């Protein structure tokens, strides 16, 4: 037994010395100055009234377009519109999530459902199927895109909030792609 004990002692002695040496490195001598405090977290640029209005408009646009795109997945006669509906739902939901997260950091609460008038329009379109649905859906999207396009351009040009500008650019690019597919 004594041989085995001596062998373990020889193996563990260098390890013990190493651990004691490393733990001694963390000791701060009284002559050293204390560590500086961590910098404060950068606060996001505050929303202006124009930024808040943009967030509200884009949120309303996204809610309606997501609902319409969900309907297009099952009601469209054109296969490309049905596939576009699935893509739009995913993309606009992602944009909606980013927008809601950004709005919540600025104490802005966004509605999660379309207004009653918008819901009525969504329900009316949901009653159509086939080619009639396709025509109405393309017309509604084109009209909505025409209304939101200058709002996006204005936000990109004038906003000082880089997060909102990034969201606006992303949505602007996606909407132009959707419009090209719908023609």
């Amino acid at each position: 037994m004594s041989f085995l004990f001596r062998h373990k002692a020889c193996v563990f002695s260098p390890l013990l010395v190493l651990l004691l040496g490393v733990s001694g490195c963390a000791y701060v001598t009284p002559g050293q100055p204390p560590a500086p405090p961590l910098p404060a977290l950068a606060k996001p640029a505050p929303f202006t009234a124009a930024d808040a209005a943009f967030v509200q408009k884009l949120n309303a646009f996204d809610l309606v377009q997501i609902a319409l795109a969900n309907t297009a997945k099952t009601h469209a006669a054109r296969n490309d519109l049905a596939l576009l509906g699935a893509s739009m739902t995913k993309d606009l939901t992602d944009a909606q999530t980013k927008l809601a997260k950004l709005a919540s950091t600025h104490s802005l609460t966004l509605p999660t459902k379309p207004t009653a008038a918008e819901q009525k329009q969504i329900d009316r379109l949901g009653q159509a199927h086939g080619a009639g649905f396709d025509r109405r859906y393309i017309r509604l999207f084109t009209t909505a895109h025409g209304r939101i396009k200058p709002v996006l351009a204005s936000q990109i040009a004038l906003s000082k909030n880089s997060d909102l500008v990034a969201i606006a650019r992303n949505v602007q690019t996606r909407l132009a792609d959707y419009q090209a597919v719908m023609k």
Side-chain angles (χ1 to χ4, degrees), residues 16-73:
L16 186 61
V17 170
L18 180 67
L19 288 175
L20 289 174
V22 170
S23 66
C25 292
Y27 179 74
V28 178
T29 60
Q32 289 181 341
L38 294 174
L41 294 176
K43 292 184 179 180
F47 272 1
T48 63
D51 289 340
F54 168 74
V55 169
Q56 295 287 348
K57 288 177 186 176
L58 187 58
N59 180 62
F61 174 83
D62 284 346
L63 291 174
V64 171
Q65 293 308 312
I66 290 168
L68 293 175
N70 278 328
T71 306
K73 292 189 292 188

Side-chain angles (χ1 to χ4, degrees), residues 76-138:
R78 289 176 36 187
N79 192 33
D80 62 335
L81 283 182
L83 292 174
L84 182 65
S87 177
M88 284 177 69
T89 300
K90 180 189 173 300
D91 295 341
L92 292 177
T93 301
D94 290 345
Q96 176 71 19
T97 303
K98 290 177 186 175
L99 190 66
K101 184 178 177 184
L102 182 61
S104 69
T105 61
H106 293 282
S107 303
L108 186 64
T109 305
L110 299 175
T112 57
K113 295 181 181 180
T115 64
E118 293 166 339
Q119 187 61 48
K120 188 175 178 181
Q121 185 180 36
I122 293 165
D123 293 341
R124 231 180 299 137
L125 183 64
Q127 295 172 356
H129 292 277
F133 173 85
D134 293 352
R135 282 189 303 275
R136 288 181 186 172
Y137 180 63
I138 291 171

Side-chain angles (χ1 to χ4, degrees), residues 148-166:
I148 200 74
K149 194 174 178 179
V151 174
L152 291 168
S154 173
Q155 186 67 24
I156 291 168
L158 301 176
S159 181
K160 299 206 185 324
N161 190 309
S162 60
D163 295 329
L164 277 180
V165 171

